[in-house]
Amino acid sequence: MVDGDTVIVSGRRIRLLNVDTEESVHPDPSRNTAFGRKTSSAVKKAIQGKTADLECYGKDRYSRRLCYLFVDGENFNVKLVKQGWSRYYTKFGFSKEYHDDFIHAENSSKSSRFGLWEKN
């Protein structure tokens, strides 16, 4: 486990596609947040010891594989958005495969005021 949007799977660093969680282990401690640490802890709890499947699309500039993570058959990236741990992150492009799922998850999270949307 690295943080909320970067995980270790079978010894490989995986950057989860279309999510961007608050920082929890940034080298500049001023960028780390309590919500980022809470997110990181929730991600670790949700995936630790589970069987995961990956759907990957290349690597980023840090040589991390860019992937969708499936835990118990569920798209974990979409789940992070649905639970309010992340927005649907489209800075590097929309999800071709799961765009509608991400939109629905973010709208649901916003209307339920989960996580990021709790204070808005």
Side-chain angles (χ1 to χ4, degrees), residues 48-116:
Q48 193 168 25
K50 301 273 179 115
T51 300
D53 293 310
L54 298 170
E55 188 177 304
C56 301
Y57 299 89
K59 293 184 178 182
D60 69 5
R61 63 183 175 160
Y62 303 108
S63 296
R64 298 175 296 187
R65 294 183 73 197
L66 300 169
C67 305
Y68 295 106
L69 174 69
F70 291 83
V71 178
D72 297 330
E74 182 177 18
N75 185 325
F76 190 73
N77 305 44
V78 170
K79 185 176 182 177
L80 284 176
V81 173
K82 187 173 186 175
Q83 293 180 339
W85 298 116
S86 173
R87 291 170 171 79
Y88 175 29
Y89 189 64
T90 59
K91 180 177 180 179
F92 299 107
F94 294 94
S95 172
K96 292 179 178 122
E97 302 81 2
Y98 307 106
H99 176 74
D100 290 342
D101 295 334
F102 277 111
I103 293 294
H104 182 265
E106 187 169 88
N107 288 338
S108 174
S109 180
K110 282 180 182 178
S111 67
S112 299
R113 296 195 169 288
F114 289 149
L116 292 168

Side-chain angles (χ1 to χ4, degrees), residues 21-34:
T21 62
E22 291 187 15
E23 300 294 338
S24 63
V25 293
H26 195 278
D28 176 356
S30 70
R31 296 194 51 194
N32 297 321
T33 68

